[in-house]
Amino acid sequence: MKEEMVYLDSSAIIKRYIEEPGSLEIRSLYKKTYAGEIVVSHSLWDVGEVLGAFDRARSLERIAEDDYHTVKRRFLNEIRLLSKQNAFTYLSQSSATSTNTVTLLYS
């Protein structure tokens, strides 16, 4: 049974799919998720924020058009896969504040 639940906000989730400072730490969390050590969670609100950030990155030419479609597909498919493995859950925003929150801030 997975003991620890880690809440990822949208800024942390994006680091999973678009390389930026903090991406290595987020990849490490997902490795623990796939190993069954933790459960990753985020809110439904975060889904919209992440998809919007992907679109913004495409508009600003931080990612190419093909990469945009790839990261969007990977993100949505990963939610489905982890949900089937009971390694992912959605939390309400009020629940999210009572779990471990991962926010990586860089100046």
Side-chain angles (χ1 to χ4, degrees), residues 86-98:
N86 295 317
F88 171 82
T89 189
Y90 284 112
L91 294 179
S92 68
Q93 281 304 123
S94 59
S95 298
T97 58
S98 64

Side-chain angles (χ1 to χ4, degrees), residues 11-40:
S11 67
I13 298 165
I14 292 161
K15 291 172 188 349
R16 169 79 171 146
Y17 305 96
I18 297 176
E19 188 65 34
E20 55 185 46
S23 290
L24 185 61
E25 291 85 354
I26 297 302
R27 277 197 296 275
S28 175
L29 285 174
Y30 275 86
K31 285 181 183 178
K32 289 181 180 181
T33 302
Y34 281 104
E37 298 172 26
I38 64 172
V39 172
V40 170

Side-chain angles (χ1 to χ4, degrees), residues 58-74:
R58 175 183 59 170
S59 297
L60 296 172
E61 298 181 355
R62 286 187 59 218
I63 60 173
E65 184 74 25
D66 289 345
D67 293 336
Y68 163 75
H69 293 290
T70 299
V71 296
K72 187 172 79 168
R73 185 176 50 253
R74 280 185 54 216

